[in-house]
Amino acid sequence: MTDIAGMKAELDSLVREQADRRTLREQQGEEIKARSHEYMTKQVQAAERYVQHVREMAQRKTKSGWSTDRSHAEPASAFDAEAYPGPGGFEPAPRPVRDEPRAARRPRAAVEDDEDFNNPW
């Protein structure tokens, strides 16, 4: 009978340990969740400050005359045939033709060759 009582006591201690571990795991999970919520809240606040800053900069540019009318217009659509012609409508600009020949490269001085005396090859 003492053997059964010992086994029961050991089983009770294992059940208690398991319950303690579960409680600890749940507490750690809640702490991690709270920290991540705090971190994400700070990230959202930083993003909101950045967006506000960008808006203020855009307003300053407009007020001071930095901005052009084109920046406020709708951007051209990728499907707009006039803004982006198809394969048959695009002609590359011709390359400029030089009238005079290119200047010849100047030869290296012999002194420059002697400066490489530390080079083993």
Side-chain angles (χ1 to χ4, degrees):
M1 283 279 197
T2 59
D3 209 18
I4 293 176
M7 293 170 107
K8 189 173 182 180
E10 185 177 348
L11 181 61
D12 288 343
S13 70
L14 290 173
V15 169
R16 250 189 333 272
E17 182 181 351
Q18 187 177 22
D20 291 345
R21 286 181 186 228
R22 182 182 303 123
T23 304
L24 182 62
R25 200 171 41 248
E26 288 171 358
Q27 288 173 351
Q28 288 174 340
E30 291 299 319
E31 290 172 4
I32 290 171
K33 192 185 297 184
R35 281 196 311 258
S36 64
H37 180 72
E38 180 182 346
Y39 174 77
M40 293 306 293
T41 302
K42 288 181 180 178
Q43 290 294 315
V44 167
Q45 290 171 348
E48 287 173 348
R49 285 193 306 268
Y50 175 75
V51 167
Q52 183 63 31
H53 173 72
V54 169
R55 286 181 182 155
E56 289 173 3
M57 291 300 295
Q59 287 175 353
R60 288 182 195 164
K61 284 181 182 179
T62 305
K63 288 179 183 176
S64 66
W66 294 355
S67 186
T68 63
D69 291 335
R70 188 167 33 135
S71 67
H72 297 295
E74 290 268 329
S77 170
F79 300 105
D80 189 2
E82 293 175 11
Y84 298 100
F90 178 73
E91 293 183 24
R95 297 183 76 189
V97 178
R98 290 183 168 210
D99 290 338
E100 67 267 353
R102 286 188 174 182
R105 287 188 165 184
R106 65 180 180 90
R108 288 180 59 181
V111 176
E112 289 179 84
D113 291 335
D114 292 338
E115 288 179 1
D116 290 334
F117 62 89
N118 287 333
N119 192 345
W121 17 287

